[in-house]
Amino acid sequence: QINHLTNECAHASDDTNFYKHQVVTSQNFGNGSLFCYYFSGGLNYQIEHHLFPNVNHCHLPELAKGVKRICERHGVPYHHAAGYRDAMERHVAHTVEMERKPVS
């Protein structure tokens, strides 16, 4: 769940655009890292995986370059963690935040 359950990704806006929703509720990690790519089976490119679910994971790194540029052009947040550790720290921070009682 390190690709979806973070403070940045877990709470989508009311925007109904399917593609934007896929981007803002996902997080990549370790892009460019052979270690992350190998041990996640290419799912460290989670944003591209959700946008192009029928594309083989070997093509996701190349697609990521274009997706990131399009997101920047349109002001859509493109979430990326540096690697497994950073992604896990973000996930744990979100989990800790979710255990707090809401202020009424």
Side-chain angles (χ1 to χ4, degrees), residues 4 18 22-23 25-26 45-53:
H4 296 288
F18 173 82
Q22 299 311 306
V23 174
T25 59
S26 299
Y45 289 89
Q46 192 70 190
I47 293 170
E48 291 71 27
H49 167 69
H50 278 274
L51 293 173
F52 309 102

Side-chain angles (χ1 to χ4, degrees), residues 3 16 59 69 93 102:
N3 290 329
T16 59
H59 301 292
R69 279 194 309 269

Side-chain angles (χ1 to χ4, degrees), residues 2 29-30 33-44 57 84:
I2 61 176
F29 68 92
S33 164
L34 185 58
F35 177 85
C36 290
Y37 183 75
Y38 182 78
F39 285 101
S40 70
L43 292 179
N44 58 321
H57 70 277
Y84 266 112

Side-chain angles (χ1 to χ4, degrees), residues 9-90:
C9 301
H11 309 287
S13 68
D14 292 338
D15 194 316
T16 59
N17 182 294
F18 173 82
Y19 299 103
K20 184 176 180 183
H21 181 82
Q22 299 311 306
V23 174
V24 299
T25 59
S26 299
Q27 168 183 267
N28 287 356
F29 68 92
N31 288 16
S33 164
L34 185 58
F35 177 85
C36 290
Y37 183 75
Y38 182 78
F39 285 101
S40 70
L43 292 179
N44 58 321
Y45 289 89
Q46 192 70 190
I47 293 170
E48 291 71 27
H49 167 69
H50 278 274
L51 293 173
F52 309 102
N54 295 324
V55 172
N56 187 286
H57 70 277
C58 70
H59 301 292
L60 299 180
E62 195 61 35
L63 287 169
K65 298 171 189 175
V67 170
K68 188 173 183 179
R69 279 194 309 269
I70 291 169
C71 288
E72 288 171 355
R73 187 179 322 136
H74 294 280
V76 176
Y78 185 92
H79 305 292
H80 180 264
Y84 266 112
R85 182 179 180 152
D86 185 25
M88 184 58 78
E89 287 172 352
R90 292 176 187 212

